[in-house]
């Protein structure tokens, strides 16, 4: 229905631009097992062909600032990073459905954003054969410096879509040594915070938690592993339809996570 076909007409577009990207960093040893580091990145993204065709030729600029600490010992490996990300001139496209008429309007905005955040990751080994891996990221990401589309698109202060303000993963594992191998019990608890799927912050996706458990047996050249994913059978929306917001015949298009599943693998090394 209403398919597009070639009719022999053509159009040409000329676009030329030069940009330079760079990065700089430094590392300093505070103690034998503790270091601190700083890093600055400056990059860019040229517009795609469709953006040039649509009249948006803004070069997206990206600047990243990082300051962190790292430590490593028998008990603990850890890395703490504080960061700020600045985006300027990023193009956002979205289609909005009128709930009354069903008409679809395309909204195109050009805006920047600023993110302040922190990331903690590492592994804790309180007793032999036990390892607790962890990763957590929290940040505040907001739109700013809007160049176009402010009337119906993004607004200063709106949250950047698809990015939860906090997410974390805890992955413990314990190995029982055997004469010719061992048994490893492992699991993972994952938390993903709420976030918006669209640039206008109209469609909110709720937070969710998942739990995975598994066991692996290794004896000589033979290895077998059993894994249960999403053991609690949590139903969650990992992604909403960022392109169309509004009523579409009473349904909302989104992508869910996978339900409970089991997996078994076996390996023999010749």
């Amino acid at each position: 229905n209403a398919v597009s076909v070639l009719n022999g007409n053509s159009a040409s577009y000329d676009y030329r631009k030069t940009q330079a990207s760079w990065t700089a960093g430094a590392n300093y040893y505070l103690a034998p097992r503790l270091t601190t580091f700083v890093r600055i990145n400056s990059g860019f993204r040229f517009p795609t062909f469709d953006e040039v065709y649509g009249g948006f030729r803004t070069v997206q600029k990206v600047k990243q600032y990082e300051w962190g600490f790292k430590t490593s010992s028998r008990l603990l490996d850890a890395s703490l990073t504080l960061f700020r990300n600045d985006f300027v001139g990023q193009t956002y496209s979205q289609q909005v459905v009128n709930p009354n008429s069903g008409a679809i309007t395309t909204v195109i905005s050009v805006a920047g954003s600023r993110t302040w955040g922190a990331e903690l990751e590492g592994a804790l080994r309180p007793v032999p054969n036990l390892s607790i891996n962890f990763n957590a990221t929290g940040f505040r990401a907001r739109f700013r410096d809007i160049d176009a589309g402010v009337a119906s698109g993004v607004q200063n202060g709106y949250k950047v879509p698809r990015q939860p303000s906090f997410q974390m993963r805890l992955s413990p594992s314990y190995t029982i040594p055997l004469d010719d191998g061992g048994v490893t019990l492992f699991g993972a608890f994952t938390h993903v915070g709420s976030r918006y799927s669209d640039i206008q912050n109209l469609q909110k996706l709720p937070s969710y938690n998942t739990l995975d458990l598994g066991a692996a047996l290794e004896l000589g050249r033979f290895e077998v592993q059993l894994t249960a994913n999403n053991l609690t059978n949590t139903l969650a929306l990992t992604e909403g339809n960022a392109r169309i917001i509004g009523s579409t015949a009473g349904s909302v298009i989104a992508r869910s996570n996978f339900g409970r599943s089991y997996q078994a693998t076996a390996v023999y090394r010749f």
Side-chain angles (χ1 to χ4, degrees):
N1 295 328
V3 66
S4 298
V5 295
L6 299 176
N7 59 9
N9 295 329
S10 63
S12 62
Y13 297 88
D14 182 72
Y15 179 83
R16 300 173 186 269
K17 201 73 173 180
T18 300
Q19 294 285 340
S21 61
W22 56 269
T23 182
N27 191 77
Y28 183 75
Y29 285 86
L30 299 172
R33 295 187 178 275
L34 179 63
T35 64
T36 182
F37 64 90
V38 293
R39 183 169 59 189
I40 302 175
N41 299 308
S42 179
F44 60 91
R45 171 187 173 274
F46 287 130
T48 64
F49 174 81
D50 288 341
E51 290 171 342
V52 172
Y53 169 79
F56 289 87
R57 303 192 174 193
T58 303
V59 176
Q60 177 183 330
K61 297 181 180 179
V62 183
K63 288 188 176 180
Q64 298 174 299
Y65 308 87
E66 293 181 328
W67 174 41
F69 301 87
K70 291 184 178 182
T71 184
S72 179
S73 65
R74 187 207 64 80
L75 176 65
L76 176 68
D77 293 331
S79 173
L80 173 63
T81 304
L82 308 177
F83 61 88
R84 191 185 95 179
N85 299 334
D86 289 346
F87 289 81
V88 177
Q90 189 168 1
T91 302
Y92 302 88
S93 178
Q94 178 177 299
Q95 293 176 309
V96 180
V97 179
N98 188 311
N100 298 319
S101 64
I104 298 178
T105 303
T106 300
V107 176
I108 298 179
S109 303
V110 179
S113 66
R114 172 166 291 177
T115 301
W116 295 91
E119 182 177 36
L120 176 66
E121 62 179 342
L124 178 65
R125 295 175 288 272
V127 296
N129 304 323
L130 175 62
S131 177
I132 304 174
N133 296 288
F134 54 87
N135 179 282
T137 303
F139 59 80
R140 182 184 186 275
R142 297 292 189 273
F143 285 119
R144 63 198 299 266
D145 301 331
I146 299 174
D147 294 333
V150 66
S152 55
V154 302
Q155 305 288 332
N156 283 327
Y158 276 18
K159 293 182 178 181
V160 174
R162 301 189 179 190
Q163 304 300 321
S165 298
F166 178 75
Q167 57 183 327
M168 59 85 66
R169 181 179 176 88
L170 193 64
S171 308
S173 64
Y174 182 75
T175 300
I176 303 172
L178 300 176
D179 292 339
D180 196 20
V183 176
T184 300
L185 307 176
F186 57 89
F189 173 79
T190 302
H191 169 78
V192 178
S194 62
R195 60 262 178 244
Y196 288 99
S197 68
D198 64 296
I199 60 177
Q200 294 176 301
N201 289 184
L202 297 175
Q203 191 176 80
K204 188 175 183 179
L205 305 179
S207 62
Y208 65 90
N209 304 316
T210 58
L211 177 65
D212 306 327
L213 293 177
L217 170 65
E218 184 175 357
L219 287 176
R221 297 183 177 183
F222 180 75
E223 180 180 347
V224 61
Q225 179 172 300
L226 301 175
T227 305
N229 300 300
N230 191 9
L231 190 63
T232 57
N233 203 31
T234 298
L235 177 62
L237 298 180
T238 62
E239 185 179 3
N241 190 346
R243 297 174 180 85
I244 298 181
I245 300 299
S247 175
T248 54
S251 64
V252 175
I253 301 175
R255 178 176 289 116
S256 71
N257 64 332
F258 291 105
R260 184 190 299 115
S261 64
Y262 305 94
Q263 183 178 35
T265 60
V267 177
Y268 182 80
R269 298 178 177 87
F270 296 94

